[in-house]
Amino acid sequence: MPDAIDAHLAAQYEAFPYPARDPRDEAKRLVVGSPSHLREVDHWIFAARRPATQPLRALVAGGGTGDGAIMLAQQMAWLGRPGEVVWYDRSGAARKITEARAAARGLTNIRFVEGSILNLPDAKLGTFDYVDCCGVLHHLPDPEAGLRALAACLNPGGGMGIMVYAPHGRTGVYMLQEAFRILAPDSLPPGERIETAKRAMRHLPATAWLTKNPFITDHLPLPQGGGDPGLYDLLLNPRDVAFTVPALAAMVGRAGLRVACWVEPLRYDPDPLLPDPRLRARTAALDPVARAALAESLAGNMGVHICYLTRAADPVARADWDDPDAVPVLRELDPAAFAKSLRGDTLAVTFDGLRVPVPIPRLSAAIVARVDGQRSFGAITAEIVAAGAAPAAVARDMAALRAALEPMNRLLIASPGGGAASGPG
């Protein structure tokens, strides 16, 4: 239920719609990320089994200025996928921005509904195959109740993509939030609060921990950061709760859901951080949540947790990498360019300053160059064998490449009939 803090949150997002977006920028680029990238939804939620011809009904709960809704709707349009995306938020200012962004792209598959997640059951929106809730749960008076309400909207076989704050990568944020509760209390109008905070930031001591955290940039001016909306959301937000891996996993379970994927899975694997065999012997005995929690604590740079969730009542399903008719796709990578970069036996990956070496097999470039969203695994194998490679070697390197790139969330499997794209997505 709404409380006194909730009124301040509502005023915040009317005064400073978040994130800052200019509809004119839609002509330049599509904002792409996780969760709710259509390729990820197909792979992690539906295990690449849901036909592309089956209409997808998606809810973007707490849609803000539209990044998730615009991305998903545009990717559906590019791929010719039927269905609709329901943008749901109580901010009229954010709605105007999102509507203008959709109009700039000519998107007609978004429906706009104003309302609060706190009143979701009363909105009578029906049920959905997929629900996005990005950057919202950690601002609710009862995050678990919010997650339960969203889970209740899911169709059997459906799932969710969520993002919540994580504590370790936000070092310095909560200290300054405490300072600004004194300097710029939420009893002041939003405009006065932001002006006070900006004045204080000009005199921030070099010892303030936020100055030593290079991974938090939302408080910086545009275009380096998030401008006034970013500063307000980061340091003046009246309610901001961060979740560790164990806390989030426990809440997900209590809501009748399960984690299908931590994004990116490689970040939640402690083994690349612990090459010592004796230490890896210890990690091998840990359950998945403990392993992810260990990686979170060791890395120290995770400022958010992004997860794909499925209903605990549904059977566990995984994309079938052994199906020769399955069509692999690269997420936001050009096959030819990526293939050229695959030299040697290691691919260096960087996550927020953390460099992780990923072993790759000898035939990586040959395989990746053929991942065009149309060729199946069987077709790719046949071409590489015809070029002179041994079938056993191709099968071995296919499996090794999947083990390297799926945890990076870059090599996925398309939905049946949904491989080729007609646009940049």
Side-chain angles (χ1 to χ4, degrees):
M1 296 294 292
D3 58 11
I5 293 177
D6 195 61
H8 293 296
L9 277 164
Q12 168 189 335
Y13 291 118
E14 283 299 327
F16 298 101
Y18 181 81
R21 293 290 181 251
D22 185 341
R24 292 172 296 183
D25 291 338
E26 298 306 311
K28 305 173 186 177
R29 53 90 176 97
L30 174 68
V31 177
V32 175
S34 301
S36 302
H37 192 291
L38 185 55
R39 296 300 195 190
E40 296 176 0
V41 173
D42 286 341
H43 185 91
W44 296 114
I45 298 294
F46 301 122
R49 289 175 167 83
R50 192 175 194 272
T53 55
Q54 186 173 344
L56 177 69
R57 190 161 194 262
L59 169 69
V60 181
T65 52
D67 283 0
I70 295 293
M71 175 182 68
L72 184 55
Q74 180 65 83
Q75 290 172 340
M76 289 171 65
W78 277 336
L79 288 166
R81 302 280 286 272
E84 74 167 350
V85 176
V86 177
W87 175 98
Y88 183 71
D89 198 296
R90 65 182 170 187
S91 171
R95 175 177 179 168
K96 289 179 181 178
I97 293 171
T98 309
E99 286 181 326
R101 294 177 68 184
R105 290 183 167 273
L107 294 173
T108 59
N109 56 351
I110 304 178
R111 181 159 68 95
F112 294 89
V113 181
E114 287 188 35
S116 169
I117 292 178
L118 300 174
N119 301 319
L120 185 60
D122 299 328
K124 301 186 186 307
L125 297 176
T127 57
F128 297 88
D129 306 302
Y130 175 72
V131 171
D132 168 295
C133 188
C134 185
V136 177
L137 294 173
H138 44 236
H139 296 317
L140 297 182
D142 187 342
E144 185 173 327
L147 187 59
R148 286 180 179 275
L150 294 170
C153 295
L154 287 176
N155 290 323
M160 294 179 57
I162 66 169
M163 183 277 276
V164 298
Y165 295 144
H168 304 329
R170 285 167 67 81
T171 298
V173 170
Y174 297 107
M175 300 173 192
L176 283 182
Q177 284 186 3
E178 291 177 6
F180 288 149
R181 288 190 189 101
I182 299 170
L183 274 176
D186 58 18
S187 57
L188 298 176
E192 188 173 344
R193 294 190 76 203
I194 198 73
E195 179 59 30
T196 302
K198 288 165 71 173
R199 286 177 175 272
M201 292 298 289
R202 298 189 193 111
H203 305 285
L204 199 63
T207 51
W209 277 106
L210 188 60
T211 67
K212 304 176 186 301
N213 188 342
F215 312 117
I216 299 293
T217 60
D218 224 18
H219 58 293
L220 300 178
L222 294 167
Q224 297 92 341
D228 287 357
L231 174 61
Y232 203 113
D233 195 66
L234 183 72
L235 299 177
L236 296 173
N237 202 299
R239 181 159 43 220
D240 174 339
V241 179
F243 294 83
T244 62
V245 162
L248 180 56
M251 183 175 73
V252 166
R254 291 192 299 269
L257 301 164
R258 70 166 73 92
V259 176
C261 169
W262 300 89
V263 178
E264 292 86 0
L266 180 61
R267 299 193 70 169
Y268 293 85
D269 182 356
D271 286 351
L273 309 178
L274 300 171
D276 187 320
R278 294 182 66 178
L279 295 176
R280 287 195 175 184
R282 290 181 176 272
T283 65
L286 300 175
D287 64 59
V289 171
R291 286 177 60 84
L294 177 59
E296 174 188 28
S297 297
L298 287 172
N301 66 345
M302 296 183 190
V304 300
H305 293 309
I306 299 171
C307 302
Y308 284 106
L309 312 176
T310 53
R311 302 187 337 147
D314 293 336
V316 175
R318 297 283 185 264
D320 186 359
W321 291 92
D322 296 322
D323 180 3
D325 294 325
V327 175
V329 288
L330 291 170
R331 182 198 176 281
E332 303 305 318
L333 290 170
D334 176 72
F338 187 40
K340 288 181 180 179
S341 73
L342 297 176
R343 298 185 178 92
D345 58 3
T346 303
L347 178 64
V349 184
T350 302
F351 298 112
D352 292 328
L354 176 62
R355 188 174 184 275
V356 179
V358 178
I360 57 173
R362 183 177 64 86
L363 294 174
S364 294
I367 296 170
V368 163
R370 293 170 168 82
V371 179
D372 58 1
Q374 301 182 47
R375 293 179 174 95
S376 67
F377 282 119
I380 293 172
T381 297
E383 287 186 19
I384 298 175
V385 169
V394 179
R396 180 193 63 229
D397 284 13
M398 280 272 201
L401 188 64
R402 170 261 173 124
L405 297 185
E406 186 192 30
M408 291 166 52
N409 205 29
R410 288 299 181 265
L411 182 64
L412 307 171
I413 297 180
S415 61
S422 58

